[in-house]
Amino acid sequence: MGVKPELAFDVCWEVYRNAREVLDSKRGISALNMKDTGRFLWRPDIRPRLNEWVADFALAGQKALESPEVASRMALFRAYYLGMAPYERARYFLGLSEMGWVNWTEEIRRLCGKEFLRRRMFPPRKYFRDVI
């Protein structure tokens, strides 16, 4: 039996949030702003680093939600999942009811989860162990 896309999304998003926290606060490096990385950030390594996970998460979500039919879900994905805006602020910004929020987030989790599985980002331990 295969892994449900929603579970894959939840696990990958947890890794993303933790990676952003490490990159943003502990190391003082902005995870999404390459201008803040400095001159000597890159170091050769055979394992993907946390900043690569952050980038892959964003790219996979963008690919999963690129269709015009789900453009509004892309706005929610960028504001809440990538930008980590608080739930109430993101919901107010997008003008969603609670039921609308639930429907959209379920759709995002399903579509993005499928893409994470396709890109072999799940399980994360394999992603970080595999050679690039």
Side-chain angles (χ1 to χ4, degrees):
M1 184 164 100
V3 175
K4 289 188 176 188
E6 294 84 355
L7 174 64
F9 178 86
D10 292 343
V11 170
C12 291
W13 188 47
E14 181 69 26
V15 173
Y16 171 83
R17 288 186 308 185
N18 291 328
R20 281 285 308 269
E21 181 182 329
V22 168
L23 293 172
D24 288 344
S25 65
K26 295 180 181 176
R27 293 177 51 194
I29 297 171
S30 175
L32 297 178
N33 188 357
M34 288 303 292
K35 293 178 184 173
D36 293 342
T37 59
R39 229 172 111 193
F40 300 105
L41 173 67
W42 182 83
R43 293 178 189 90
D45 194 354
I46 60 170
R47 294 183 186 106
R49 296 178 137 346
L50 290 177
N51 54 356
E52 293 168 345
W53 177 270
V54 169
D56 285 345
F57 185 89
L59 290 172
Q62 182 177 340
K63 177 68 175 167
L65 301 170
E66 70 182 353
S67 144
E69 295 85 33
V70 291
S72 53
R73 278 57 163 187
M74 176 61 89
L76 173 59
F77 179 76
R78 287 181 177 159
Y80 182 70
Y81 292 107
L82 291 182
M84 295 189 301
Y87 161 76
E88 286 297 331
R89 289 187 68 193
R91 211 182 99 209
Y92 176 76
F93 174 74
L94 294 166
L96 285 172
S97 67
E98 287 185 23
M99 185 54 87
W101 177 273
V102 169
N103 292 337
W104 282 19
T105 55
E106 289 297 318
E107 190 172 357
I108 289 169
R109 290 174 60 229
R110 182 177 44 79
L111 293 171
C112 291
K114 285 180 183 178
E115 185 66 19
F116 296 151
L117 290 168
R118 190 186 71 73
R119 290 181 182 225
R120 300 175 197 238
M121 292 177 68
F122 184 85
R125 68 179 146 66
K126 274 186 77 176
Y127 175 92
F128 286 103
R129 185 177 44 211
D130 287 347
V131 176
I132 297 174

